[in-house]
């Protein structure tokens, strides 16, 4: 597949944004990683899957690297080969207990998600699942967000997926020898001849990184200031631009006008998780969007807002708006791994109106929100500064912001054709996006015409997850019927 030809992201240190996600996760409530549950028409061939996955790990070093903290908070964490890497530790097999229905599978997936990754080891885990009713199977997987965002992880999946059920497996890889060689090379580089290793190497590397980062900042500032004498108006323009960026960044955590706690019905938070799933047609989403000049993501957000409105109406707690967010990719490359995204806050209208009116309103709001995010603010602009704050202050601020988000969203697009893995056909993928202190994360992934919506809920906030799921499913059904019926 294309994944075998892609360039691999191999930065030796985390970006400021990745370091921010790593730092806030010291509070388990703020786990920034998402998992996925790949549904299959039959269980994978275990031996073949291991061959495919070992080949993928061999090509992507961060899957056999561990995180090495910088000295204090002066630099972002680095990556280094794990001298104790054990492939078998990261790959498990389980068989569901009878009857092996979908509810059992989803509960197992949520339970697996709540087992934290060992932060001293490579940051990923795969579990192959058999015993699903109808002879089906599944793969549960989690790759830490500091390794990759959703798009980078889909590109990673290309390396162990295939276009045909019976495509030959890759050649066997001596992964242990490869890792041992990488560890030896890293040790030789760390020793630096006469400087030694361990703490001295860490301090040396941190100092070099810090000087390079600070020099870059100082050089840009000096270059800008040197031009002010020739053009006094430039100083004023620079100040205005800085104020705009700072204001936009401050607004990035919450939509403008967001209430203190969002939905009063969904104000409580916990570390418990419940997974629900809704499937709709990509064609229905596209047709509905085209009918009113809206995007697929606009239609997606509209169905969620309408489902949430109906949930509140049934509970006799009417609402006028919902605090939400969606993700915009800022990728400009085709690499596997890495992070390049911006969370965009939005306040979704939830008061009485027709579904067509709601879609039109949301389409206008997403356009405005994207324009605001494009001004250069947001978490990316704040990450370097926030990483210098005490961890307790940072996590407290992050928790406070997350608690005011009713649900976060993301929308990923995979192939528009069938895919296979180790002899099994992929029939869908249910994403388990990071809830991280919000009421829910709702992430959709399209594959071969199906649009699978993973509704990963904090059941302390949304106390009737299955009811919420039913309202969302019916909202999409009614939305498609109203818009497409009117278009006819």
């Amino acid at each position: 597949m294309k994944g075998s030809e892609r360039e691999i992201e191999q930065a030796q240190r985390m970006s400021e944004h990745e370091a921010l996600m790593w730092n806030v996760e010291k509070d388990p409530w703020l786990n920034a990683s998402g998992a996925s549950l790949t549904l299959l028409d039959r269980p994978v061939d275990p031996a073949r899957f291991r061959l495919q996955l070992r080949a993928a790990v061999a090509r992507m070093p961060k899957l056999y690297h561990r995180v090495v903290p910088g000295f204090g908070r002066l630099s972002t964490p680095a990556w280094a080969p794990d001298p104790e890497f054990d492939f078998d530790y990261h790959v498990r097999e389980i068989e569901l207990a009878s009857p092996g229905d979908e509810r059992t599978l989803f509960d197992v997936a949520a339970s697996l998600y709540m087992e934290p990754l060992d932060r001293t080891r490579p940051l990923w885990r795969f579990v192959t699942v058999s015993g699903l009713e109808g002879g089906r199977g599944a793969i549960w997987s989690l790759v830490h967000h500091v390794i990759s965002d959703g798009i980078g992880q889909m590109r990673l999946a290309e390396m162990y997926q295939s276009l045909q059920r019976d495509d030959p497996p890759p050649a066997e890889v001596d992964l242990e020898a490869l890792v041992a060689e990488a560890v030896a090379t890293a040790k030789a580089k760390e020793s630096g001849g006469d400087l030694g290793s361990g703490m001295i190497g860490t301090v040396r590397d941190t100092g070099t990184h810090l000087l390079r980062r600070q020099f870059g900042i100082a050089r840009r500032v000096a270059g800008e200031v040197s031009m002010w004498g020739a053009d006094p108006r430039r100083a004023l323009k620079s100040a205005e631009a800085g104020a705009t960026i700072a204001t936009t960044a401050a607004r990035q955590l919450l939509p403008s006008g967001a209430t203190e706690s969002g939905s009063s019905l969904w104000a409580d938070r916990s570390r418990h998780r419940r997974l629900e799933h809704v499937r709709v047609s990509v064609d229905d989403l596209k047709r509905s969007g085209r009918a009113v000049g809206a995007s697929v993501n606009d239609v997606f957000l509209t169905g969620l807002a309408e489902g949430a409105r109906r949930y509140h109406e049934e509970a006799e707690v009417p609402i006028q708006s919902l605090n939400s967010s969606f993700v915009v990719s800022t990728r400009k490359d085709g690499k596997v791994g890495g992070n390049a995204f911006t969370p965009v806050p939005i306040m979704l209208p939830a008061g009485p109106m027709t579904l067509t009116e709601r879609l039109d309103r949301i389409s206008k709001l997403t356009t405005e929100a994207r324009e605001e995010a494009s001004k250069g603010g947001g978490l990316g602009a704040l990450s370097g500064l926030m990483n210098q704050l005490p961890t307790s202050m940072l996590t407290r601020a992050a928790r406070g912001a997350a608690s005011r988000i009713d649900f976060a969203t993301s929308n990923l697009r995979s192939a528009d054709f069938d895919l296979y893995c180790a002899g099994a056909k992929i029939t869908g993928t249910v994403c388990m996006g990071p809830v991280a202190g919000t009421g829910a994360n709702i992430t959709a992934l399209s594959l071969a015409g199906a649009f699978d919506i993973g509704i990963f809920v904090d059941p302390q906030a949304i106390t009737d997850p299955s009811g919420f799921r039913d309202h969302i499913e019916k909202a999409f059904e009614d939305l498609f019927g109203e818009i497409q019926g009117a278009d006819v």
Side-chain angles (χ1 to χ4, degrees), residues 21-36:
M21 291 189 288
W22 179 252
N23 289 334
V24 299
E25 196 190 57
K26 290 176 182 177
D27 180 345
W29 283 55
L30 301 173
N31 178 3
S33 298
S36 66

Side-chain angles (χ1 to χ4, degrees), residues 10-192:
Q10 299 192 58
Q12 294 183 333
R13 285 189 177 273
M14 291 185 193
S15 68
E16 295 285 2
H17 190 42
E18 289 164 349
L20 179 61
M21 291 189 288
W22 179 252
N23 289 334
V24 299
E25 196 190 57
K26 290 176 182 177
D27 180 345
W29 283 55
L30 301 173
N31 178 3
S33 298
S36 66
L37 185 64
T38 302
L39 307 176
L40 307 168
D41 69 344
R42 68 189 193 195
V44 298
D45 177 326
R48 184 172 171 183
F49 179 69
R50 288 172 65 86
L51 280 174
Q52 292 175 321
L53 195 55
R54 285 172 65 88
V57 172
R59 290 201 61 233
M60 188 167 182
K62 285 183 183 177
L63 296 182
Y64 58 81
H65 280 52
R66 60 187 176 89
V67 175
V68 180
F71 185 69
R73 301 287 283 275
L74 298 178
S75 68
T76 60
W79 298 95
D82 180 10
E84 298 180 348
F85 176 74
D86 179 4
F87 178 84
D88 291 332
Y89 172 83
H90 298 274
V91 183
R92 293 191 235 162
E93 300 176 22
I94 62 172
E95 182 175 357
L96 294 183
S98 180
D101 57 13
E102 199 165 81
R103 181 68 264 158
T104 301
L105 175 65
F106 287 177
D107 289 345
V108 167
S111 178
L112 289 169
Y113 181 88
M114 293 170 67
E115 297 178 19
L117 290 170
D118 184 341
R119 286 165 66 95
T120 68
R121 293 175 178 265
L123 300 167
W124 61 277
R125 187 164 70 241
F126 277 69
V127 180
T128 60
V129 183
S130 60
L132 191 59
E133 61 184 0
R136 295 175 294 143
I139 302 170
W140 180 91
S141 61
L142 189 155
V143 177
H144 200 289
H145 215 318
V146 297
I147 294 178
S148 180
D149 58 20
I151 291 177
Q153 289 192 40
M154 286 195 298
R155 293 171 179 173
L156 167 62
E158 292 174 358
M159 294 196 291
Y160 57 83
Q161 294 172 352
S162 59
L163 299 177
Q164 303 292 331
R165 188 184 294 274
D166 298 321
D167 277 358
E172 187 168 355
V173 173
D174 191 343
L175 183 58
E176 288 69 27
L178 184 151
V179 174
E181 181 180 353
V183 169
T185 301
K187 284 183 177 179
K189 182 179 179 181
E190 185 180 79
S191 67

Side-chain angles (χ1 to χ4, degrees), residues 49 98 138 164 226-227 235 243 277 337-338 362 364 370 400 465 473-474 487:
F49 179 69
S98 180
Q164 303 292 331
S226 69
M227 302 178 70
H277 171 226
I362 288 176
K364 290 181 172 63
R370 287 174 187 272
E473 184 173 56
K474 188 62 167 63
D487 190 45

Side-chain angles (χ1 to χ4, degrees), residues 184-473:
T185 301
K187 284 183 177 179
K189 182 179 179 181
E190 185 180 79
S191 67
D194 59 353
L195 285 178
S197 59
M199 178 62 74
I200 293 177
T202 299
V203 173
R204 181 199 63 211
D205 291 346
T206 297
T208 302
H209 175 79
L210 179 63
L211 286 172
R212 187 166 55 244
R213 182 171 64 172
Q214 294 301 107
F215 178 73
I217 295 172
R219 183 178 59 185
R220 290 192 294 273
V221 171
E224 175 65 26
V225 172
S226 69
M227 302 178 70
W228 290 358
D231 184 3
R233 293 175 299 176
R234 189 179 181 92
L236 178 60
K237 291 178 181 178
S238 296
E240 291 174 345
T244 298
I245 290 173
T247 301
T248 305
R251 286 201 296 262
Q252 190 70 20
L253 290 174
L254 285 171
S256 176
T259 59
E260 183 66 21
S261 60
S263 163
S264 61
L265 189 61
W266 293 348
D268 292 340
R269 297 290 188 268
S270 74
R271 290 179 60 192
H272 299 296
R273 299 291 179 261
R274 166 93 171 188
L275 179 62
E276 300 287 346
H277 171 226
V278 168
R279 171 173 287 184
V280 297
S281 162
V282 171
D283 286 342
D284 281 337
L285 289 161
K286 288 181 176 179
R287 279 195 294 266
S288 297
R290 282 195 300 265
V292 296
S295 70
V296 165
N297 197 60
D298 295 335
V299 182
F300 173 47
L301 291 173
T302 300
L304 300 183
E306 177 64 21
R309 184 198 70 78
R310 295 179 182 189
Y311 181 97
H312 282 75
E313 183 178 69
E314 182 179 57
E316 299 182 345
V317 182
I319 53 171
Q320 293 300 312
S321 60
L322 292 151
N323 299 336
S324 187
S325 66
F326 61 95
V327 174
V328 173
S329 175
T330 56
R331 282 183 176 266
K332 301 184 186 301
D333 59 52
K335 291 183 179 180
V336 177
N339 284 275
F341 67 94
T342 297
V344 180
I346 186 170
M347 182 174 285
L348 300 173
M353 65 185 72
T354 68
L355 291 166
T356 305
E357 290 171 339
R358 195 178 311 283
L359 175 56
D360 184 63
R361 285 271 301 277
I362 288 176
S363 180
K364 290 181 172 63
L365 288 170
T366 58
T367 299
E368 294 171 1
R370 287 174 187 272
E371 291 174 354
E372 187 74 12
S374 70
K375 293 178 182 177
L379 292 180
L382 291 173
S383 295
L385 175 61
M386 294 176 74
N387 281 325
Q388 303 306 312
L389 298 175
T391 300
S392 60
M393 182 183 299
L394 183 61
T395 55
R396 186 164 60 247
R399 263 213 206 191
S403 69
R404 296 190 289 275
I405 298 293
D406 297 314
F407 57 82
T409 76
S410 187
N411 178 8
L412 300 168
R413 184 174 64 184
S414 185
D416 57 3
F417 44 82
D418 291 335
L419 293 174
Y420 299 83
C421 182
K425 180 180 178 180
I426 298 174
T427 60
T429 299
V430 183
C431 295
M432 305 164 69
V435 177
T438 67
N441 182 290
I442 306 177
T443 296
L445 188 145
S446 59
L447 171 65
F451 192 82
D452 286 303
I453 303 171
I455 308 167
F456 206 29
V457 167
D458 176 351
Q460 185 70 28
I462 303 175
T463 56
D464 182 11
S466 59
F468 184 42
R469 175 222 172 268
D470 292 344
H471 282 302
I472 289 175
E473 184 173 56

